Amino acid sequence: MSFRTIIEPFRIKSVDALKFTRRDEREAALDAAGRNVFLLHADDVLVDLLTDSGTGAMSAAQWGALMQGDESYAGSRSFYRFRDAVQALTGFTHIIPTHQGRAAERILFHTILAPGQIVPNNNHFDTTRANIEVEGAEALDLVIPEGRIPATPHPFKGNIDLPALERLLESHRDRVPLVMVTVTNNSGGGQPVSLENLRAVRALCNRYQKPFFLDACRFAENAYFIKLREPGQANRTPREIAQEMFSLADGCTMSAKKDGLANIGGFLAMNDDAWAERARNLLILTEGFPTYGGLAGYDLEAIARGLEEVVEEPYLRYRIRSTAYLGEKLTAGGVPIIQPPGGHAIYIDARALLPHIPPLEYPGIALVNALYVEAGIRAAEIGTVMFGRHPDGTESPAAMDLVRLAIPRRVYTQSHIDYVAEAVLHVASLGRSLRGYRITASAAVLRHFTAQFERVL
Ligand code: F0G
């Protein structure tokens, strides 16, 4: 069969009705939320592209697996199933379940970091950065130069800048406790990292005797991009590629809310016995006993099954293609996005789309709020509100002001995506009538979740 249409590789057996609202109702809802879409009631959102995290639809097989959950406090059968699934994929010795990715980050960094140390990454995600900074260490972003320019296409725009990493290891060897790489690079546009780049990081880590950890949240999407784009990889399965990615590292942090295809969960995995022992001790303090780590037995079952489904080729083909489909529609309509489209999301370059709004008046928030008011779509700012404030309290423009349209896994159909594309093009046509914002109240860390905004007139 050689039909061109790539269809959703599933049929729907349970539906969740959407609520349609009027424009004036959305204006009122956003006002009540301090003009911060994080504070909306989700029922007032029509198409929710805030995040792809924990928002996916589980398969019938996963729902069935929930009934197999063993809720024993210690040594539960579900833990062993989970451990075996993670080990078969990653090859790591120690598998430590956590309630989500940031718990794995907190435990890893609290276990190994000391004030003044530096953790390099292609781009740290916000929780990763925050969990490093809270230990008094520095989170350093070393993505390749192409990764910082939204309009420049590159097949592996998430690659880490190897010469820059080498210079860091040479000049500050004693201050770097580990090297991290995020696959795919969420903060840089959901862009993949090549096997070649991961192999070179491994070689540098060997030379400088540093552990190498993956932030593996979207490992399967990354593996599929490698299959599509990296010379010599086309005939391997996504699972084989993913296994090689993990084999190059000494450990990983993982949010199973992304490529675990689960609604909650995560893990920390590693080969080092001493680090693992300390991590487990901390786990007991905050997450729970090492065979459940903050999760129910049925969550462990859902993740074990999800890790198998996520590397299936029909799923990944549809997943990567449906994100690209949205990107192509926006590009055809003249909306500047990070090129090429990422795996889990389309990132609109709000700074380029709304050049009349200066970065410190948050063009990303202007776009996010207009998308909600005009069309009931919820997106997320990844820009100056998220990254512009520094630990010393000062503020400067982030490297980019992006708006992310994150696509939940297996949730929306092509017509939802057509609607989103039409709505974005409409909002883009409003141009100069969109105004910037100022912050009227904000928390000390991770301010984007709770900040209150007011429109600049
Ligand atoms: N690392 C990356 C690259 C992430 O994208 C996330 C979460 C985390 C770590 C933390 O995982 O949420 O399970 O604690 N990203 C979500 C997002 C929240 O919307 O991109 P978590």
Side-chain angles (χ1 to χ4, degrees):
M1 255 196 342
S2 59
F3 294 113
R4 285 180 49 247
T5 309
I6 295 173
I7 61 170
E8 286 85 359
F10 50 80
R11 54 188 175 167
I12 296 164
K13 76 156 79 176
S14 175
V15 299
D16 196 7
L18 294 174
K19 177 178 143 193
F20 290 87
T21 52
R22 294 189 314 269
R23 193 179 188 286
D24 61 303
E25 290 171 331
R26 294 192 293 272
E27 276 282 6
L30 191 58
D31 259 339
R35 307 207 78 80
N36 183 343
V37 295
F38 273 105
L39 305 179
L40 287 169
H41 193 310
D43 280 352
D44 295 329
V45 174
L46 185 64
V47 179
D48 203 346
L49 308 183
L50 187 68
T51 179
D52 63 319
S53 180
T55 52
M58 291 210 295
S59 65
Q62 283 177 294
W63 285 111
L66 293 201
M67 284 307 290
Q68 305 292 325
D70 171 5
E71 304 307 336
S72 302
Y73 188 94
S76 122
R77 177 178 68 229
S78 301
F79 168 74
Y80 292 108
R81 228 175 249 155
F82 163 85
R83 185 201 62 183
D84 292 349
V86 177
Q87 262 174 351
L89 180 71
T90 67
F92 296 130
T93 315
H94 301 282
I95 312 297
I96 302 171
T98 60
H99 81 273
Q100 62 183 86
R102 68 199 66 185
E105 292 163 7
R106 196 194 93 82
I107 288 168
L108 174 67
F109 296 137
H110 195 68
T111 302
I112 65 163
L113 288 190
Q117 291 186 322
I118 305 170
V119 181
N121 202 329
N122 42 2
N123 283 113
H124 292 274
F125 184 64
D126 61 352
T127 59
T128 323
R129 170 173 293 281
N131 273 303
I132 290 169
E133 289 175 352
V134 84
E135 302 296 334
E138 184 187 339
L140 186 64
D141 289 340
L142 293 179
V143 73
I144 55 170
E146 293 89 335
R148 297 177 200 269
I149 310 166
T152 311
H154 183 290
F156 292 105
K157 223 174 166 173
N159 282 355
I160 197 163
D161 184 336
L162 296 165
L165 178 61
E166 185 166 4
R167 281 195 299 276
L168 175 77
L169 290 169
E170 192 58 49
S171 59
H172 291 96
R173 183 175 187 160
D174 296 343
R175 287 173 61 194
V176 179
L178 83 171
V179 174
M180 286 195 80
V181 171
T182 304
V183 292
T184 59
N185 185 20
N186 183 9
S187 308
Q191 301 290 324
V193 178
S194 68
L195 269 181
E196 187 188 24
N197 194 252
L198 294 174
R199 289 183 189 131
V201 172
R202 173 75 266 164
L204 277 176
C205 286
N206 286 350
R207 179 130 60 89
Y208 291 90
Q209 294 177 321
K210 299 296 175 191
F212 171 25
F213 272 58
L214 291 175
D215 177 337
C217 297
R218 299 179 181 86
F219 73 93
E221 292 169 8
N222 199 97
Y224 196 66
F225 277 121
I226 287 174
K227 180 178 170 75
L228 291 179
R229 297 183 185 167
E230 193 155 348
Q233 300 300 321
N235 293 326
R236 298 175 79 191
T237 64
R239 185 178 173 86
E240 285 165 352
I241 296 171
Q243 284 167 328
E244 181 174 350
M245 289 163 54
F246 285 112
S247 76
L248 293 165
D250 301 296
C252 73
T253 56
M254 172 73 189
S255 168
K257 301 172 72 172
K258 285 84 165 172
D259 278 351
L261 293 180
N263 299 122
I264 195 69
F267 54 85
L268 173 62
M270 62 183 84
N271 291 331
D272 188 278
D273 298 338
W275 278 13
E277 189 185 333
R278 282 158 61 199
R280 283 202 183 95
N281 289 338
L282 195 56
L283 185 86
I284 292 175
L285 207 61
T286 59
E287 293 280 295
F289 192 73
T291 60
Y292 73 87
L295 295 170
Y298 52 68
D299 296 321
L300 296 166
E301 296 281 350
I303 297 167
R305 173 75 203 177
L307 289 173
E308 283 166 21
E309 294 179 7
V310 78
V311 288
E312 285 170 7
E313 205 155 335
Y315 163 73
L316 283 168
R317 184 186 310 122
Y318 137 83
R319 171 77 178 153
I320 298 304
R321 179 60 208 144
S322 54
T323 306
Y325 174 79
L326 176 58
E328 285 163 15
K329 287 204 153 201
L330 299 191
T331 304
V335 174
I337 63 164
I338 292 194
Q339 297 287 2
H344 67 297
I346 293 299
Y347 294 69
I348 301 173
D349 184 349
R351 199 178 285 174
L353 183 69
L354 305 173
H356 62 288
I357 302 176
L360 292 179
E361 288 182 11
Y362 316 129
I365 297 295
L367 181 56
V368 164
N369 286 357
L371 277 171
Y372 176 68
V373 170
E374 295 298 323
I377 295 166
R378 179 155 68 169
E381 191 252 22
I382 301 202
T384 300
V385 174
M386 189 180 273
F387 293 120
R389 197 178 43 189
H390 312 293
D392 66 2
T394 59
E395 188 184 30
S396 61
M400 301 188 253
D401 275 297
L402 304 173
V403 166
R404 185 182 72 171
L405 306 171
I407 308 187
R409 292 169 180 77
R410 309 191 287 203
V411 170
Y412 294 116
T413 62
Q414 185 169 349
S415 60
H416 291 111
I417 299 296
D418 287 336
Y419 171 83
V420 170
E422 184 183 349
V424 173
L425 297 187
H426 165 68
V427 169
S429 76
L430 301 177
R432 294 192 71 86
S433 71
L434 301 182
R435 317 301 298 182
Y437 282 84
R438 72 172 70 89
I439 291 178
T440 56
S442 70
V445 284
L446 298 174
R447 64 176 178 171
H448 51 287
F449 290 127
T450 54
Q452 304 276 297
F453 298 93
E454 158 182 293
R455 211 186 319 228
V456 176
L457 295 174

